[in-house]
Amino acid sequence: MAETEKRPTNFIRQIIDRDIESGLHTTVHTRFPPEPNGFLHIGHAKSICLNFGIAEDYQGTCNLRFDDTNPEKESIDYVNAIKSDVSWLGYHWDGEVRYSSDYFDSLHGYAVELIEKGLAFVDFSTQEQIREMRGTLKAPGQHSPYRDTDVATNLQEFEKMTQGEYTEGHCCLRAKIDMASPFMCMRDPVIYRIKFAHHHQTGEKWCVYPMYDFTHCISDAIEGISHSLCTLEFQDNRRLYDWVIDNISIATQPRQYEFSRLNLEYTVLSKRKLIQLVTEGFVDGWDDPRMPTIAGLRRRGYTPASVREFCSRIGVTKMDNLIEMSMLEACIRDELNEHAPRAMAVLDPVKIVIENYAQGEGETLTAANHPNKPELGSRELAFDKEIYIERDDFREEANKKYKRLVLGKEVRLRNAYVIKAERVEKDEDGNIQTIYCTYDADTLGKDPADGRKVKGVIHWVSALRHEKAEIRLYDRLFKEPNPGALELAEAYNPDSLVKLNGVVESGLANKAIGEAVQFERTGYFCLDKESKAGALVFNRTVALRDTWAKIGD
């Protein structure tokens, strides 16, 4: 149909199209299965957009299912954060949130079934012994001395495990497959282990927990998932996925399909390394705006639409590649350029005194909120005898290429008058403290009457009526494009966060947390959650243009 033809295609959509055309499936049912042991990151966003997006496009359904099989590393806080992230991205899961722990009784039953079929056994070998027996990529594994234990004994021992009669690590349940398989995951993998830990959903009901590979495929089958989508590192595990489904008495036969995971420049997406960043103090928590987590992106000022657009642009393939950070930044820059209202902020203020401006006769000027969107309205600007400009916007001497304020020269103040720098006042160290100027009162909104050409335009903020603000300039967390190849401390960018004490238009005190604004000539920013009355905090989302290559030289 016409709508289908307009969809962006990829190999997974082509598989689904064939499955529907052949009658193998009449509906599409996907799932997003995060482990609740950390916050979601931009790589998960790719999977979210794929699974939920496919379900939407094919008028199907998508489940949100937590694969909660490791209670020691999981928490309800992670569960709530993940639900919030999925909702923030604009997606809605089918029915209630699901958990693999919802199926623990069934999973246990299927484990018993495998034992009864002679396809699973309780192994009392140590973890180190099991690793040694597994073999290598070049050498086959060795059979466990417990592999041929009879069914009745295995059933008894598994029941003892279940009843808590053995300590953690004393034994485990392994599938009996093929120790000579070229695929390591098929060499009698562990499918159940003992853990005495409180579970955020089941409490203390269980002391044996299924492994991910055993749980995942059965959960898919129970939920009737038609297309189980995961990243390429699970490609070999598809053999174990199919083996489990083929050897238990379950009607549904889901299929697994793999796509390349997201690899993004100047960041890490390994959950282990993300945890390390938090625990070792490289960042200030999971939602630090430098983190590639969805929570961090949201706090930095990224929007759901920009993240979805990024996921659409990078596409879905089976080839691993390193995506340029500039592609992600371009998505939010394009959106904010279109929709963010404008304002003025001075990040490194130096004072100007307009000597011929009447004392105490401040005025209120009017400026458009967006140069190309009159529907966004206008704002009021406080203009006074004393104003602040950026310290970098003034020089005592400069060549003709410099288009800002120079001693003895004129420049236009954005949305205001033309001023001329007359003299400066310095401190004992030679630092400029005040720039004394005059203004042309007849240049508000028009050129000088005598035809003088004023080429430069700079921004400013009233020195008498403004809001103080901490400006946080966030940049890339790592200075190396591929930081995963180095130790975190070695790749860490010490300039990834610079804090400045600036001033902003007084009207910005009314902004909502997270609301976007373009600071003219500076970048896109949003109000941080740490803001409070009289002490605003703005996070830089992205610069007006990609300057990283120049900065890195």
Side-chain angles (χ1 to χ4, degrees):
M1 63 184 188
E3 287 189 6
T4 303
E5 294 171 358
K6 295 178 183 178
R7 297 180 193 137
T9 190
N10 54 57
F11 76 96
I12 290 176
R13 289 176 180 269
Q14 291 167 0
I15 290 170
I16 293 173
D17 289 339
R18 288 197 297 269
D19 288 347
I20 292 175
E21 185 177 347
S22 69
L24 179 63
H25 294 290
T26 57
T27 59
V28 172
H29 196 168
T30 60
R31 84 290 168 271
F32 174 61
E35 297 173 71
N37 58 2
F39 279 53
L40 299 184
H41 54 62
I42 187 69
H44 293 114
K46 176 181 178 180
S47 180
I48 292 170
C49 292
L50 177 61
N51 280 287
F52 283 92
I54 281 177
E56 285 183 358
D57 287 350
Y58 288 90
Q59 291 79 51
T61 52
C62 183
N63 295 352
L64 174 60
R65 180 181 73 234
F66 290 96
D67 274 326
D68 53 344
T69 59
N70 191 358
E72 290 178 331
K73 296 184 178 180
E74 299 166 357
S75 79
I76 195 66
D77 291 338
Y78 292 139
V79 169
N80 292 334
I82 290 170
K83 289 193 292 186
S84 175
D85 287 345
V86 174
S87 296
W88 178 78
L89 279 172
Y91 294 110
H92 306 282
W93 49 85
D94 182 54
E96 297 295 323
V97 170
R98 294 164 170 84
Y99 299 86
S100 292
S101 55
D102 295 340
Y103 315 129
F104 276 177
D105 287 299
S106 297
L107 289 161
H108 190 271
Y110 289 124
V112 170
E113 180 182 348
L114 289 179
I115 296 173
E116 291 174 338
K117 291 179 175 179
L119 295 176
F121 64 98
V122 176
D123 195 336
F124 289 86
S125 303
T126 65
Q127 290 185 7
E128 183 177 348
Q129 289 170 334
I130 291 175
R131 279 195 297 270
E132 290 175 353
M133 287 186 288
R134 188 171 289 129
T136 67
L137 293 175
K138 295 182 179 180
Q142 300 174 351
H143 286 176
S144 164
Y146 302 94
R147 195 175 197 266
D148 295 325
T149 303
D150 63 88
V151 169
T153 301
N154 279 318
L155 289 172
Q156 291 173 2
E157 296 296 356
F158 189 52
E159 179 61 19
K160 289 180 180 179
M161 287 174 58
T162 304
Q163 296 303 318
E165 297 183 24
Y166 293 125
T167 58
E168 289 190 21
H170 187 70
C171 56
C172 61
L173 183 69
R174 297 176 66 183
K176 189 189 296 186
I177 308 179
D178 181 6
M179 291 303 291
S181 172
F183 300 100
M184 301 295 284
C185 64
M186 300 297 281
R187 296 184 183 180
D188 292 5
V190 175
I191 59 175
Y192 258 91
R193 77 285 205 204
I194 301 169
K195 281 188 180 292
F196 291 96
H198 174 82
H199 191 283
H200 52 89
Q201 298 297 316
T202 61
E204 272 67 42
K205 179 180 178 181
W206 296 93
C207 64
V208 291
Y209 289 94
M211 299 297 287
Y212 175 85
D213 283 331
F214 181 70
T215 304
H216 186 68
C217 54
I218 296 175
S219 299
D220 282 349
I222 290 173
E223 295 177 6
I225 301 303
S226 61
H227 299 82
S228 182
L229 311 179
C230 60
T231 47
L232 280 174
E233 63 262 37
F234 295 101
Q235 184 168 252
D236 287 350
N237 299 58
R238 176 166 23 99
R239 291 160 178 82
L240 178 55
Y241 185 106
D242 292 342
W243 183 91
V244 172
I245 294 298
D246 290 342
N247 285 284
I248 61 174
S249 54
I250 196 165
T252 309
Q253 299 283 312
R255 287 294 307 277
Q256 175 179 300
Y257 303 94
E258 306 87 17
F259 60 93
S260 62
R261 65 180 297 166
L262 172 62
N263 299 298
L264 188 63
E265 281 185 336
Y266 298 101
T267 193
V268 292
L269 297 179
S270 157
K271 192 171 290 185
R272 178 181 60 82
K273 292 191 174 183
L274 293 177
I275 292 172
Q276 185 181 349
L277 287 171
V278 174
T279 57
E280 296 185 10
F282 288 97
V283 296
D284 298 322
W286 285 97
D287 69 343
D288 186 301
R290 292 168 291 179
M291 287 283 274
T293 56
I294 295 175
L297 291 168
R298 180 165 67 243
R299 186 175 173 189
R300 186 159 174 170
Y302 278 77
T303 63
S306 67
V307 176
R308 293 196 304 266
E309 173 63 19
F310 170 70
C311 294
S312 175
R313 290 186 188 183
I314 62 176
V316 178
T317 70
K318 274 186 170 287
M319 294 185 62
D320 274 326
N321 55 358
L322 189 62
I323 303 298
E324 294 182 356
M325 177 66 79
S326 58
M327 183 179 290
L328 175 61
E329 293 169 341
C331 290
I332 187 61
R333 189 181 288 116
D334 290 349
E335 181 181 349
L336 295 183
N337 180 55
E338 184 74 13
H339 301 292
R342 276 42 171 174
M344 292 190 291
V346 177
L347 278 56
D348 183 16
V350 63
K351 183 182 289 188
I352 280 182
V353 174
I354 305 173
E355 294 186 284
N356 63 334
Y357 193 90
Q359 187 72 38
E361 290 192 8
E363 59 188 301
T364 300
L365 308 180
T366 301
N369 282 329
H370 195 290
N372 303 317
K373 287 184 173 288
E375 64 272 20
L376 292 183
S378 60
R379 66 192 193 278
E380 294 183 343
L381 300 176
F383 187 83
D384 291 290
K385 184 181 181 71
E386 296 181 7
I387 62 172
Y388 289 120
I389 67 167
E390 296 286 358
R391 189 170 293 274
D392 282 348
D393 279 347
F394 173 76
R395 291 182 185 175
E396 292 183 80
E397 296 180 358
N399 60 33
K400 293 182 179 181
K401 293 182 179 181
Y402 187 76
K403 303 299 182 183
R404 289 167 276 177
L405 184 62
V406 179
L407 197 60
K409 302 289 182 64
E410 290 183 313
V411 76
R412 176 172 291 281
L413 297 175
R414 180 76 167 159
N415 301 306
Y417 301 96
V418 170
I419 62 172
K420 180 180 180 181
E422 306 288 356
R423 59 191 176 89
V424 298
E425 182 180 280
K426 300 181 180 180
D427 63 17
E428 58 186 14
D429 296 321
N431 300 310
I432 294 174
Q433 298 297 295
T434 307
I435 305 165
Y436 291 91
C437 297
T438 55
Y439 88 119
D440 186 337
D442 195 35
T443 55
L444 182 61
K446 55 185 178 180
D447 293 328
D450 61 4
R452 301 190 318 273
K453 299 295 183 182
V454 181
K455 296 181 179 180
V457 180
I458 62 175
H459 62 276
W460 55 275
V461 171
S462 167
L464 305 180
R465 293 178 286 169
H466 62 259
E467 291 286 338
K468 293 182 179 179
E470 179 178 282
I471 310 295
R472 297 177 179 176
L473 302 181
Y474 288 102
D475 212 326
R476 301 175 186 185
L477 187 56
F478 297 102
K479 56 190 176 183
E480 299 294 332
N482 186 18
L486 303 172
E487 293 295 324
L488 293 183
E490 186 180 358
Y492 179 73
N493 176 16
D495 299 320
S496 59
L497 170 57
V498 175
K499 296 182 180 181
L500 302 174
N501 293 317
V503 292
V504 301
E505 293 178 17
S506 55
L508 293 180
N510 300 319
K511 285 285 181 185
I513 301 300
E515 189 173 354
V517 62
Q518 184 201 96
F519 288 161
E520 299 195 39
R521 302 177 62 234
T522 303
Y524 296 99
F525 291 76
C526 70
L527 196 64
D528 187 71
K529 67 179 184 179
E530 294 181 358
S531 290
K532 53 188 176 182
L536 304 181
V537 177
F538 284 93
N539 299 330
R540 182 170 68 184
T541 305
V542 68
L544 291 179
R545 58 185 62 86
D546 183 7
T547 58
W548 180 260
K550 181 175 70 174
I551 292 172
D553 290 340

